[in-house]
Structure formats: structure tokens, C-alpha cells
Amino acid sequence: RFYAICRVFLGIVGFGYKCRIMGPNFIPGKNEDLHNKTIQRTVLMMGRYVEHIDTEPAGNTVGLVGVDQYIVKTGTITYESGKDAHIMKQMKFSVSPVVRVAVAPKNPQDLPKLVEGLKRMAKSDPMVQCFNESSGEHIIAGAGELHLEI
């Protein structure tokens, strides 16, 4: 299960609410990188425990289920009627990915699983970059050796 971690700045968010998902490439006035979706579930994450909740007010951090397929690393979610909303700027990090590791499956049949795992890792961690070299190797780049181990 993939949870989109969300900070509620205004209003409330909850199960069944219709929302607009604006990706990092959204330009106001255009429909590029813009999706309308219903939030399937809201959860409150407390360490390793997850508690399902109906609504969450402003000022809190909540996990959203059902919007992850439209968000890659970052995005802005507003009410469905929030047509004038602008996206929040993507965070800039003072550290860039400096350690690169080539990965390959032990069994060639597991290549689709490896590719899916790399996509999930690149989606969930803003500091990780996953790409293919021209030689066909799958490369993971991160901020350090420990970062890639985790």
C-alpha cells in the first residue's frame, strides 16, 4: 500500500472528498498534469501503526490513499472547486545524489519486479534517482551509501 503524506493547510480533508491533484508540471490555465480524483481513505500515521479516520482538519499531517498514481515525489492537492489555486514549489535540497549503484536481478525473470521496485523507490524518496544507462544497467543514485542501503 502506498500512502501520499499530506499536510493540510486550509479546510479539512477526508474520505470520499473530491479533489484536484496538480503535479509539479502544472501550469495555471492549462489541463496538463491536472487530475480530478476522489480520496479513497484517510489515515493517521503513528509510528508503525495506522489508524483510519474520516476527516482531518488544517494543521495536521495525514496519509491519503487513492491519489498516489498521480503524484510523483511531490504535488499539490486542493478542493475540486479550487480552480484559482497554484502549485506549491518543489523543495530544493542542498545535497545532490552523489553515490551511484548499478543493480540487476539474480534471476532474469525477476526484472519486471526490479523495475517496479525502482519506480516505487523513485516515487517515494525525493532524493533518489533511478534511471537506465545506455548499456542497459539500472542505476540508483542517492545522497550516500547509507541512504541507498535503507
Side-chain angles (χ1 to χ4, degrees):
R1 176 71 54 203
F2 190 88
Y3 296 106
I5 305 300
C6 170
R7 171 75 192 267
V8 183
F9 284 101
L10 178 68
I12 56 174
V13 66
F15 161 77
Y17 284 34
K18 295 188 183 300
C19 63
R20 293 179 70 201
I21 304 165
M22 298 175 283
N25 299 325
F26 173 74
I27 298 170
K30 296 186 179 178
N31 287 335
E32 187 175 313
D33 209 6
L34 173 68
H35 307 279
N36 291 325
K37 186 74 176 160
T38 302
I39 297 172
Q40 294 175 359
R41 192 169 59 198
T42 52
V43 296
L44 187 61
M45 305 182 84
M46 300 171 293
R48 65 180 190 197
Y49 302 106
V50 176
E51 182 180 326
H52 302 283
I53 53 176
D54 290 330
T55 60
E56 192 68 22
N60 293 304
T61 304
V62 65
L64 301 179
V65 177
V67 298
D68 60 300
Q69 61 198 26
Y70 302 107
I71 297 176
V72 179
K73 296 189 189 267
T74 183
T76 303
I77 300 175
T78 64
Y79 289 115
E80 189 177 36
S81 61
K83 307 273 188 230
D84 297 329
H86 292 271
I87 63 170
M88 298 185 80
K89 283 288 203 184
Q90 195 168 1
M91 290 177 46
K92 302 287 185 208
F93 296 99
S94 60
V95 178
S96 62
V98 292
V99 176
R100 293 179 176 208
V101 176
V103 294
K106 288 185 178 181
N107 298 328
Q109 305 102 306
D110 293 336
L111 184 62
K113 291 180 184 178
L114 173 70
V115 171
E116 181 62 30
L118 292 175
K119 284 180 185 177
R120 287 183 180 183
M121 185 173 13
K123 183 177 187 175
S124 63
D125 191 338
M127 285 296 300
V128 170
Q129 295 176 352
C130 298
F131 52 91
N132 294 333
E133 287 287 323
S134 57
S135 63
E137 291 182 307
H138 295 280
I139 306 293
I140 305 172
E145 199 174 313
L146 180 62
H147 184 221
L148 293 178
E149 275 184 31
I150 294 173

Coordinates of all heavy atoms in Angstrom, one line a residue, residues 93-125:
F93 N 17.0 20.8 -2.4 CA 17.8 20.1 -1.5 C 19.3 20.6 -1.6 O 19.7 20.8 -2.7 CB 17.8 18.6 -1.6 CG 16.4 18.0 -1.3 CD1 15.6 17.7 -2.4 CD2 16.0 17.8 -0.1 CE1 14.3 17.2 -2.2 CE2 14.7 17.3 0.2 CZ 13.9 17.0 -0.9
S94 N 20.0 20.8 -0.5 CA 21.3 21.2 -0.6 C 22.3 20.0 -0.9 O 23.5 20.3 -1.1 CB 21.8 21.9 0.8 OG 21.6 20.9 1.8
V95 N 21.8 18.8 -0.8 CA 22.6 17.7 -1.1 C 22.0 17.1 -2.5 O 20.8 17.0 -2.7 CB 22.4 16.6 0.0 CG1 23.2 15.4 -0.3 CG2 22.8 17.2 1.3
S96 N 22.9 16.7 -3.3 CA 22.5 16.0 -4.6 C 23.0 14.6 -4.5 O 23.9 14.2 -3.8 CB 23.1 16.8 -5.8 OG 24.5 16.7 -5.7
P97 N 22.3 13.7 -5.3 CA 22.7 12.3 -5.4 C 24.1 12.2 -5.9 O 24.4 12.6 -7.0 CB 21.7 11.7 -6.3 CG 20.6 12.7 -6.4 CD 21.1 14.0 -6.1
V98 N 25.0 11.7 -5.0 CA 26.4 11.5 -5.4 C 26.9 10.1 -5.5 O 27.9 9.8 -6.2 CB 27.3 12.3 -4.5 CG1 27.1 13.8 -4.6 CG2 27.1 11.9 -3.0
V99 N 26.2 9.2 -4.9 CA 26.6 7.8 -4.9 C 25.7 7.1 -5.9 O 24.4 7.2 -5.8 CB 26.5 7.1 -3.5 CG1 26.8 5.7 -3.5 CG2 27.4 7.8 -2.5
R100 N 26.3 6.3 -6.8 CA 25.5 5.6 -7.8 C 25.8 4.1 -7.7 O 27.0 3.7 -7.5 CB 25.9 6.0 -9.2 CG 25.5 7.4 -9.5 CD 25.9 7.8 -10.9 NE 25.4 9.1 -11.3 CZ 25.2 9.5 -12.5 NH1 25.4 8.6 -13.5 NH2 24.7 10.7 -12.7
V101 N 24.8 3.3 -7.8 CA 25.0 1.8 -7.7 C 24.2 1.2 -8.8 O 23.0 1.6 -9.1 CB 24.4 1.3 -6.3 CG1 24.5 -0.2 -6.2 CG2 25.2 1.9 -5.1
A102 N 24.8 0.3 -9.5 CA 24.2 -0.5 -10.6 C 23.5 -1.7 -9.9 O 24.2 -2.4 -9.1 CB 25.2 -0.9 -11.6
V103 N 22.3 -2.0 -10.3 CA 21.6 -3.1 -9.7 C 21.1 -4.0 -10.8 O 20.8 -3.5 -11.9 CB 20.4 -2.7 -8.8 CG1 20.9 -2.0 -7.6 CG2 19.4 -1.8 -9.5
A104 N 21.0 -5.3 -10.6 CA 20.5 -6.3 -11.5 C 19.8 -7.4 -10.7 O 20.3 -7.7 -9.6 CB 21.6 -6.8 -12.4
P105 N 18.8 -8.0 -11.3 CA 18.2 -9.2 -10.6 C 19.1 -10.4 -10.7 O 19.8 -10.6 -11.7 CB 16.9 -9.3 -11.3 CG 17.1 -8.8 -12.7 CD 18.1 -7.7 -12.5
K106 N 19.0 -11.3 -9.7 CA 19.8 -12.5 -9.7 C 19.2 -13.4 -10.8 O 19.9 -14.1 -11.5 CB 19.7 -13.2 -8.4 CG 20.6 -12.5 -7.3 CD 20.6 -13.3 -6.0 CE 21.5 -12.7 -5.0 NZ 21.5 -13.4 -3.8
N107 N 17.9 -13.4 -10.9 CA 17.2 -14.2 -12.0 C 16.6 -13.3 -13.0 O 16.0 -12.3 -12.6 CB 16.0 -15.0 -11.4 CG 16.5 -16.0 -10.4 OD1 17.6 -16.6 -10.5 ND2 15.7 -16.3 -9.4
P108 N 16.9 -13.5 -14.3 CA 16.4 -12.6 -15.3 C 14.8 -12.5 -15.3 O 14.3 -11.5 -15.7 CB 16.9 -13.2 -16.6 CG 18.0 -14.0 -16.2 CD 17.8 -14.5 -14.8
Q109 N 14.1 -13.5 -14.8 CA 12.7 -13.5 -14.7 C 12.2 -12.4 -13.8 O 11.1 -12.0 -13.8 CB 12.1 -14.8 -14.3 CG 12.5 -16.0 -15.1 CD 13.5 -16.8 -14.5 OE1 14.6 -16.3 -14.1 NE2 13.3 -18.1 -14.3
D110 N 13.1 -12.0 -12.8 CA 12.7 -11.0 -11.8 C 12.9 -9.6 -12.3 O 12.7 -8.7 -11.5 CB 13.5 -11.3 -10.5 CG 13.1 -12.6 -9.9 OD1 12.0 -13.1 -10.1 OD2 13.9 -13.1 -9.1
L111 N 13.2 -9.4 -13.5 CA 13.5 -8.0 -14.0 C 12.2 -7.1 -13.9 O 12.4 -6.0 -13.4 CB 14.0 -8.0 -15.4 CG 14.3 -6.7 -16.0 CD1 15.5 -6.0 -15.2 CD2 14.7 -6.8 -17.5
P112 N 11.0 -7.6 -14.2 CA 9.9 -6.7 -14.0 C 9.6 -6.3 -12.5 O 9.3 -5.2 -12.3 CB 8.7 -7.5 -14.5 CG 9.3 -8.5 -15.5 CD 10.7 -8.8 -14.9
K113 N 9.9 -7.2 -11.6 CA 9.8 -6.9 -10.2 C 10.8 -5.8 -9.8 O 10.5 -4.9 -9.0 CB 10.0 -8.1 -9.3 CG 8.9 -9.1 -9.4 CD 9.1 -10.3 -8.6 CE 8.1 -11.4 -8.7 NZ 8.4 -12.5 -7.9
L114 N 12.0 -5.9 -10.3 CA 13.1 -5.0 -10.0 C 12.7 -3.6 -10.6 O 12.8 -2.6 -9.8 CB 14.4 -5.4 -10.7 CG 15.5 -4.4 -10.6 CD1 16.0 -4.2 -9.1 CD2 16.7 -4.7 -11.5
V115 N 12.2 -3.5 -11.8 CA 11.8 -2.2 -12.4 C 10.7 -1.6 -11.6 O 10.7 -0.4 -11.3 CB 11.4 -2.4 -13.9 CG1 10.8 -1.2 -14.4 CG2 12.6 -2.9 -14.7
E116 N 9.7 -2.4 -11.2 CA 8.6 -1.9 -10.4 C 9.1 -1.4 -9.0 O 8.7 -0.3 -8.5 CB 7.5 -3.0 -10.1 CG 6.3 -2.6 -9.3 CD 5.5 -1.4 -10.0 OE1 5.5 -1.3 -11.2 OE2 4.9 -0.6 -9.2
G117 N 10.0 -2.1 -8.4 CA 10.6 -1.6 -7.1 C 11.3 -0.3 -7.3 O 11.3 0.5 -6.4
L118 N 12.1 -0.2 -8.4 CA 12.8 1.0 -8.6 C 11.8 2.2 -8.8 O 12.1 3.3 -8.4 CB 13.7 0.9 -9.8 CG 14.9 -0.1 -9.6 CD1 15.7 -0.2 -10.9 CD2 15.8 0.4 -8.5
K119 N 10.7 2.0 -9.5 CA 9.7 3.0 -9.7 C 9.2 3.5 -8.4 O 9.0 4.7 -8.1 CB 8.6 2.5 -10.6 CG 9.0 2.5 -12.1 CD 7.8 2.0 -12.9 CE 8.2 1.8 -14.3 NZ 7.0 1.2 -15.1
R120 N 8.9 2.5 -7.5 CA 8.3 2.9 -6.2 C 9.3 3.6 -5.4 O 8.9 4.6 -4.7 CB 7.8 1.6 -5.5 CG 6.6 1.0 -6.0 CD 6.2 -0.2 -5.2 NE 5.0 -0.8 -5.8 CZ 4.3 -1.8 -5.3 NH1 4.8 -2.4 -4.2 NH2 3.3 -2.3 -5.8
M121 N 10.5 3.2 -5.4 CA 11.5 3.9 -4.6 C 11.7 5.3 -5.1 O 11.8 6.3 -4.3 CB 12.9 3.2 -4.7 CG 13.9 3.8 -3.8 SD 15.5 3.0 -3.5 CE 15.6 1.8 -4.7
A122 N 11.8 5.5 -6.4 CA 12.0 6.9 -7.0 C 10.8 7.7 -6.7 O 10.9 9.0 -6.5 CB 12.2 6.8 -8.5
K123 N 9.6 7.1 -6.6 CA 8.4 7.9 -6.4 C 8.3 8.3 -4.9 O 7.8 9.4 -4.6 CB 7.2 7.0 -6.7 CG 5.8 7.6 -6.5 CD 4.8 6.6 -7.0 CE 3.4 7.2 -7.0 NZ 2.4 6.3 -7.5
S124 N 8.7 7.5 -4.0 CA 8.6 7.8 -2.6 C 9.7 8.6 -2.0 O 9.5 9.3 -0.9 CB 8.4 6.5 -1.8 OG 9.6 5.7 -1.9
D125 N 10.9 8.6 -2.5 CA 12.0 9.3 -1.9 C 12.4 10.4 -2.9 O 12.9 10.2 -4.0 CB 13.2 8.4 -1.7 CG 14.3 9.0 -0.8 OD1 14.4 10.2 -0.8 OD2 15.0 8.2 -0.2

